[in-house]
mmCIF file of all heavy atoms in Angstrom:
data_model
loop_
_atom_site.group_PDB
_atom_site.id
_atom_site.type_symbol
_atom_site.label_atom_id
_atom_site.label_comp_id
_atom_site.label_asym_id
_atom_site.label_seq_id
_atom_site.Cartn_x
_atom_site.Cartn_y
_atom_site.Cartn_z
ATOM 1 N N GLN A 1 112.673 95.644 39.680
ATOM 2 C CA GLN A 1 111.581 96.292 38.941
ATOM 3 C C GLN A 1 110.414 95.338 38.790
ATOM 4 O O GLN A 1 110.613 94.141 38.652
ATOM 5 C CB GLN A 1 112.048 96.724 37.549
ATOM 6 C CG GLN A 1 112.773 98.034 37.516
ATOM 7 C CD GLN A 1 112.870 98.543 36.074
ATOM 8 O OE1 GLN A 1 112.818 97.813 35.113
ATOM 9 N NE2 GLN A 1 113.071 99.846 35.968
ATOM 10 N N ILE A 2 109.245 95.893 38.786
ATOM 11 C CA ILE A 2 108.039 95.147 38.543
ATOM 12 C C ILE A 2 107.074 96.036 37.789
ATOM 13 O O ILE A 2 107.082 97.258 37.966
ATOM 14 C CB ILE A 2 107.384 94.616 39.854
ATOM 15 C CG1 ILE A 2 106.236 93.634 39.542
ATOM 16 C CG2 ILE A 2 106.943 95.750 40.735
ATOM 17 C CD1 ILE A 2 105.718 92.896 40.749
ATOM 18 N N GLY A 3 106.282 95.443 36.949
ATOM 19 C CA GLY A 3 105.256 96.226 36.222
ATOM 20 C C GLY A 3 104.027 96.381 37.047
ATOM 21 O O GLY A 3 103.589 95.458 37.755
ATOM 22 N N ILE A 4 103.448 97.541 37.010
ATOM 23 C CA ILE A 4 102.224 97.804 37.771
ATOM 24 C C ILE A 4 101.108 96.837 37.296
ATOM 25 O O ILE A 4 100.251 96.443 38.091
ATOM 26 C CB ILE A 4 101.786 99.284 37.659
ATOM 27 C CG1 ILE A 4 100.608 99.609 38.575
ATOM 28 C CG2 ILE A 4 101.435 99.640 36.226
ATOM 29 C CD1 ILE A 4 100.945 99.582 40.024
ATOM 30 N N LYS A 5 101.157 96.425 36.039
ATOM 31 C CA LYS A 5 100.131 95.496 35.571
ATOM 32 C C LYS A 5 100.253 94.125 36.237
ATOM 33 O O LYS A 5 99.267 93.447 36.424
ATOM 34 C CB LYS A 5 100.180 95.352 34.056
ATOM 35 C CG LYS A 5 99.609 96.598 33.376
ATOM 36 C CD LYS A 5 99.355 96.407 31.937
ATOM 37 C CE LYS A 5 98.759 97.688 31.377
ATOM 38 N NZ LYS A 5 98.448 97.600 29.978
ATOM 39 N N ALA A 6 101.463 93.736 36.636
ATOM 40 C CA ALA A 6 101.607 92.464 37.387
ATOM 41 C C ALA A 6 100.895 92.590 38.725
ATOM 42 O O ALA A 6 100.226 91.644 39.160
ATOM 43 C CB ALA A 6 103.095 92.169 37.588
ATOM 44 N N LEU A 7 101.008 93.754 39.375
ATOM 45 C CA LEU A 7 100.279 93.947 40.633
ATOM 46 C C LEU A 7 98.787 93.986 40.399
ATOM 47 O O LEU A 7 98.007 93.464 41.202
ATOM 48 C CB LEU A 7 100.763 95.249 41.301
ATOM 49 C CG LEU A 7 102.242 95.315 41.682
ATOM 50 C CD1 LEU A 7 102.554 96.644 42.339
ATOM 51 C CD2 LEU A 7 102.627 94.152 42.559
ATOM 52 N N PHE A 8 98.370 94.592 39.288
ATOM 53 C CA PHE A 8 96.947 94.599 38.937
ATOM 54 C C PHE A 8 96.430 93.184 38.782
ATOM 55 O O PHE A 8 95.348 92.829 39.287
ATOM 56 C CB PHE A 8 96.738 95.376 37.612
ATOM 57 C CG PHE A 8 96.119 96.716 37.765
ATOM 58 C CD1 PHE A 8 96.576 97.647 38.662
ATOM 59 C CD2 PHE A 8 95.040 97.068 36.948
ATOM 60 C CE1 PHE A 8 96.005 98.886 38.757
ATOM 61 C CE2 PHE A 8 94.451 98.308 37.050
ATOM 62 C CZ PHE A 8 94.943 99.226 37.958
ATOM 63 N N GLU A 9 97.171 92.354 38.040
ATOM 64 C CA GLU A 9 96.750 90.982 37.816
ATOM 65 C C GLU A 9 96.702 90.181 39.124
ATOM 66 O O GLU A 9 95.800 89.387 39.344
ATOM 67 C CB GLU A 9 97.641 90.268 36.801
ATOM 68 C CG GLU A 9 97.538 90.855 35.404
ATOM 69 C CD GLU A 9 96.096 90.862 34.847
ATOM 70 O OE1 GLU A 9 95.308 89.933 35.156
ATOM 71 O OE2 GLU A 9 95.768 91.772 34.077
ATOM 72 N N HIS A 10 97.676 90.427 39.996
ATOM 73 C CA HIS A 10 97.639 89.750 41.304
ATOM 74 C C HIS A 10 96.409 90.154 42.072
ATOM 75 O O HIS A 10 95.738 89.330 42.687
ATOM 76 C CB HIS A 10 98.893 90.089 42.104
ATOM 77 C CG HIS A 10 98.967 89.397 43.424
ATOM 78 N ND1 HIS A 10 99.375 88.114 43.565
ATOM 79 C CD2 HIS A 10 98.610 89.842 44.662
ATOM 80 C CE1 HIS A 10 99.307 87.781 44.844
ATOM 81 N NE2 HIS A 10 98.845 88.811 45.542
ATOM 82 N N LEU A 11 96.096 91.436 42.036
ATOM 83 C CA LEU A 11 94.891 91.940 42.748
ATOM 84 C C LEU A 11 93.626 91.360 42.131
ATOM 85 O O LEU A 11 92.717 90.937 42.842
ATOM 86 C CB LEU A 11 94.889 93.461 42.687
ATOM 87 C CG LEU A 11 93.879 94.182 43.579
ATOM 88 C CD1 LEU A 11 94.057 93.796 45.033
ATOM 89 C CD2 LEU A 11 94.032 95.682 43.409
ATOM 90 N N ARG A 12 93.566 91.265 40.823
ATOM 91 C CA ARG A 12 92.408 90.655 40.163
ATOM 92 C C ARG A 12 92.255 89.193 40.562
ATOM 93 O O ARG A 12 91.183 88.709 40.816
ATOM 94 C CB ARG A 12 92.559 90.730 38.636
ATOM 95 C CG ARG A 12 92.255 92.061 38.066
ATOM 96 C CD ARG A 12 92.369 92.004 36.546
ATOM 97 N NE ARG A 12 91.978 93.273 35.968
ATOM 98 C CZ ARG A 12 92.706 93.922 35.053
ATOM 99 N NH1 ARG A 12 93.838 93.411 34.637
ATOM 100 N NH2 ARG A 12 92.301 95.078 34.598
ATOM 101 N N TRP A 13 93.375 88.469 40.588
ATOM 102 C CA TRP A 13 93.350 87.054 40.905
ATOM 103 C C TRP A 13 92.934 86.811 42.361
ATOM 104 O O TRP A 13 92.196 85.895 42.661
ATOM 105 C CB TRP A 13 94.724 86.454 40.639
ATOM 106 C CG TRP A 13 94.786 84.999 40.923
ATOM 107 C CD1 TRP A 13 94.371 83.973 40.131
ATOM 108 C CD2 TRP A 13 95.301 84.395 42.126
ATOM 109 N NE1 TRP A 13 94.599 82.769 40.751
ATOM 110 C CE2 TRP A 13 95.175 82.998 41.983
ATOM 111 C CE3 TRP A 13 95.873 84.897 43.278
ATOM 112 C CZ2 TRP A 13 95.583 82.092 42.967
ATOM 113 C CZ3 TRP A 13 96.280 84.008 44.254
ATOM 114 C CH2 TRP A 13 96.136 82.636 44.088
ATOM 115 N N SER A 14 93.443 87.662 43.263
ATOM 116 C CA SER A 14 93.160 87.448 44.682
ATOM 117 C C SER A 14 91.819 88.028 45.111
ATOM 118 O O SER A 14 91.352 87.694 46.202
ATOM 119 C CB SER A 14 94.292 88.056 45.534
ATOM 120 O OG SER A 14 94.364 89.436 45.346
ATOM 121 N N SER A 15 91.206 88.861 44.298
ATOM 122 C CA SER A 15 89.932 89.481 44.673
ATOM 123 C C SER A 15 88.932 89.371 43.512
ATOM 124 O O SER A 15 88.526 90.383 42.957
ATOM 125 C CB SER A 15 90.139 90.970 44.997
ATOM 126 O OG SER A 15 91.125 91.140 45.955
ATOM 127 N N PRO A 16 88.499 88.138 43.170
ATOM 128 C CA PRO A 16 87.612 88.025 41.990
ATOM 129 C C PRO A 16 86.218 88.611 42.224
ATOM 130 O O PRO A 16 85.534 88.940 41.276
ATOM 131 C CB PRO A 16 87.564 86.536 41.736
ATOM 132 C CG PRO A 16 87.900 85.893 43.017
ATOM 133 C CD PRO A 16 88.807 86.862 43.740
ATOM 134 N N TYR A 17 85.800 88.743 43.482
ATOM 135 C CA TYR A 17 84.468 89.261 43.761
ATOM 136 C C TYR A 17 84.524 90.276 44.888
ATOM 137 O O TYR A 17 85.322 90.151 45.809
ATOM 138 C CB TYR A 17 83.499 88.148 44.147
ATOM 139 C CG TYR A 17 83.252 87.197 43.031
ATOM 140 C CD1 TYR A 17 83.965 86.016 42.924
ATOM 141 C CD2 TYR A 17 82.325 87.497 42.052
ATOM 142 C CE1 TYR A 17 83.752 85.148 41.867
ATOM 143 C CE2 TYR A 17 82.109 86.632 40.986
ATOM 144 C CZ TYR A 17 82.841 85.466 40.900
ATOM 145 O OH TYR A 17 82.626 84.616 39.842
ATOM 146 N N LEU A 18 83.645 91.263 44.796
ATOM 147 C CA LEU A 18 83.521 92.229 45.870
ATOM 148 C C LEU A 18 82.644 91.650 46.960
ATOM 149 O O LEU A 18 82.059 90.568 46.789
ATOM 150 C CB LEU A 18 82.911 93.511 45.320
ATOM 151 C CG LEU A 18 83.732 94.236 44.246
ATOM 152 C CD1 LEU A 18 82.968 95.426 43.698
ATOM 153 C CD2 LEU A 18 85.050 94.717 44.841
ATOM 154 N N GLU A 19 82.508 92.346 48.090
ATOM 155 C CA GLU A 19 81.768 91.828 49.216
ATOM 156 C C GLU A 19 80.304 91.480 48.848
ATOM 157 O O GLU A 19 79.776 90.502 49.314
ATOM 158 C CB GLU A 19 81.747 92.842 50.362
ATOM 159 C CG GLU A 19 83.072 92.933 51.099
ATOM 160 C CD GLU A 19 83.041 93.895 52.251
ATOM 161 O OE1 GLU A 19 81.941 94.283 52.671
ATOM 162 O OE2 GLU A 19 84.101 94.267 52.710
ATOM 163 N N GLY A 20 79.691 92.242 47.980
ATOM 164 C CA GLY A 20 78.292 91.990 47.600
ATOM 165 C C GLY A 20 78.143 90.893 46.563
ATOM 166 O O GLY A 20 77.048 90.637 46.111
ATOM 167 N N GLY A 21 79.222 90.236 46.179
ATOM 168 C CA GLY A 21 79.164 89.169 45.195
ATOM 169 C C GLY A 21 79.286 89.654 43.757
ATOM 170 O O GLY A 21 79.216 88.878 42.819
ATOM 171 N N GLU A 22 79.479 90.974 43.581
ATOM 172 C CA GLU A 22 79.622 91.511 42.230
ATOM 173 C C GLU A 22 81.013 91.199 41.717
ATOM 174 O O GLU A 22 81.972 91.155 42.491
ATOM 175 C CB GLU A 22 79.449 93.035 42.243
ATOM 176 C CG GLU A 22 78.092 93.488 42.668
ATOM 177 C CD GLU A 22 77.988 95.022 42.708
ATOM 178 O OE1 GLU A 22 78.685 95.682 41.907
ATOM 179 O OE2 GLU A 22 77.259 95.514 43.540
ATOM 180 N N PRO A 23 81.171 90.959 40.397
ATOM 181 C CA PRO A 23 82.514 90.745 39.846
ATOM 182 C C PRO A 23 83.408 91.952 40.055
ATOM 183 O O PRO A 23 82.964 93.091 40.000
ATOM 184 C CB PRO A 23 82.264 90.503 38.354
ATOM 185 C CG PRO A 23 80.820 90.311 38.206
ATOM 186 C CD PRO A 23 80.144 90.901 39.403
ATOM 187 N N PHE A 24 84.657 91.683 40.345
ATOM 188 C CA PHE A 24 85.634 92.737 40.557
ATOM 189 C C PHE A 24 86.249 93.141 39.227
ATOM 190 O O PHE A 24 86.699 92.313 38.476
ATOM 191 C CB PHE A 24 86.716 92.190 41.507
ATOM 192 C CG PHE A 24 87.875 93.123 41.717
ATOM 193 C CD1 PHE A 24 87.681 94.337 42.306
ATOM 194 C CD2 PHE A 24 89.137 92.757 41.325
ATOM 195 C CE1 PHE A 24 88.753 95.190 42.526
ATOM 196 C CE2 PHE A 24 90.212 93.609 41.537
ATOM 197 C CZ PHE A 24 90.017 94.815 42.121
ATOM 198 N N ARG A 25 86.283 94.421 38.924
ATOM 199 C CA ARG A 25 86.814 94.887 37.663
ATOM 200 C C ARG A 25 87.806 96.019 37.893
ATOM 201 O O ARG A 25 87.583 96.914 38.679
ATOM 202 C CB ARG A 25 85.704 95.390 36.767
ATOM 203 C CG ARG A 25 84.714 94.321 36.413
ATOM 204 C CD ARG A 25 83.629 94.837 35.491
ATOM 205 N NE ARG A 25 82.605 93.863 35.310
ATOM 206 C CZ ARG A 25 82.571 92.942 34.353
ATOM 207 N NH1 ARG A 25 83.538 92.909 33.473
ATOM 208 N NH2 ARG A 25 81.593 92.098 34.282
ATOM 209 N N LEU A 26 88.919 95.936 37.176
ATOM 210 C CA LEU A 26 89.940 96.994 37.169
ATOM 211 C C LEU A 26 90.183 97.376 35.731
ATOM 212 O O LEU A 26 90.406 96.528 34.887
ATOM 213 C CB LEU A 26 91.257 96.491 37.774
ATOM 214 C CG LEU A 26 91.422 96.560 39.260
ATOM 215 C CD1 LEU A 26 92.726 95.928 39.664
ATOM 216 C CD2 LEU A 26 91.316 97.972 39.771
ATOM 217 N N ASN A 27 90.169 98.651 35.454
ATOM 218 C CA ASN A 27 90.381 99.151 34.112
ATOM 219 C C ASN A 27 91.897 99.290 33.865
ATOM 220 O O ASN A 27 92.584 100.000 34.574
ATOM 221 C CB ASN A 27 89.696 100.504 33.947
ATOM 222 C CG ASN A 27 89.685 101.001 32.546
ATOM 223 O OD1 ASN A 27 90.577 100.689 31.745
ATOM 224 N ND2 ASN A 27 88.701 101.799 32.204
ATOM 225 N N ASN A 28 92.416 98.598 32.845
ATOM 226 C CA ASN A 28 93.838 98.681 32.526
ATOM 227 C C ASN A 28 94.284 100.081 32.200
ATOM 228 O O ASN A 28 95.477 100.387 32.301
ATOM 229 C CB ASN A 28 94.194 97.742 31.365
ATOM 230 C CG ASN A 28 94.328 96.314 31.784
ATOM 231 O OD1 ASN A 28 94.531 96.018 32.958
ATOM 232 N ND2 ASN A 28 94.206 95.421 30.839
ATOM 233 N N ASN A 29 93.376 100.941 31.788
ATOM 234 C CA ASN A 29 93.740 102.312 31.471
ATOM 235 C C ASN A 29 94.212 103.092 32.699
ATOM 236 O O ASN A 29 94.814 104.153 32.555
ATOM 237 C CB ASN A 29 92.567 103.041 30.822
ATOM 238 C CG ASN A 29 92.229 102.509 29.459
ATOM 239 O OD1 ASN A 29 93.032 101.875 28.808
ATOM 240 N ND2 ASN A 29 90.993 102.706 29.032
ATOM 241 N N TYR A 30 93.908 102.579 33.888
ATOM 242 C CA TYR A 30 94.281 103.289 35.111
ATOM 243 C C TYR A 30 95.652 102.874 35.640
ATOM 244 O O TYR A 30 96.115 103.461 36.625
ATOM 245 C CB TYR A 30 93.223 103.053 36.194
ATOM 246 C CG TYR A 30 91.838 103.516 35.833
ATOM 247 C CD1 TYR A 30 90.708 102.960 36.423
ATOM 248 C CD2 TYR A 30 91.632 104.512 34.882
ATOM 249 C CE1 TYR A 30 89.441 103.395 36.110
ATOM 250 C CE2 TYR A 30 90.344 104.941 34.557
ATOM 251 C CZ TYR A 30 89.254 104.371 35.180
ATOM 252 O OH TYR A 30 88.001 104.785 34.864
ATOM 253 N N THR A 31 96.301 101.905 35.056
ATOM 254 C CA THR A 31 97.546 101.390 35.619
ATOM 255 C C THR A 31 98.619 102.478 35.718
ATOM 256 O O THR A 31 99.291 102.590 36.747
ATOM 257 C CB THR A 31 98.097 100.199 34.821
ATOM 258 O OG1 THR A 31 98.251 100.608 33.450
ATOM 259 C CG2 THR A 31 97.199 99.005 34.922
#
């Protein structure tokens, strides 16, 4: 088992910026 939030955090950590240089944001409400 793994929590979807762990995957969210991994994605946040590995993708801190989008292609245009904008900060990458994920809303925890969508997990």
Side-chain angles (χ1 to χ4, degrees):
Q1 277 194 337
I2 189 170
I4 188 69
K5 286 193 178 180
L7 299 180
F8 253 50
E9 293 304 327
H10 181 82
L11 192 56
R12 282 183 177 130
W13 180 81
S14 63
S15 306
Y17 294 96
L18 297 175
E19 286 182 16
E22 296 177 32
F24 175 63
R25 298 182 188 268
L26 274 177
N27 189 332
N28 281 340
N29 293 337
Y30 300 155
T31 56

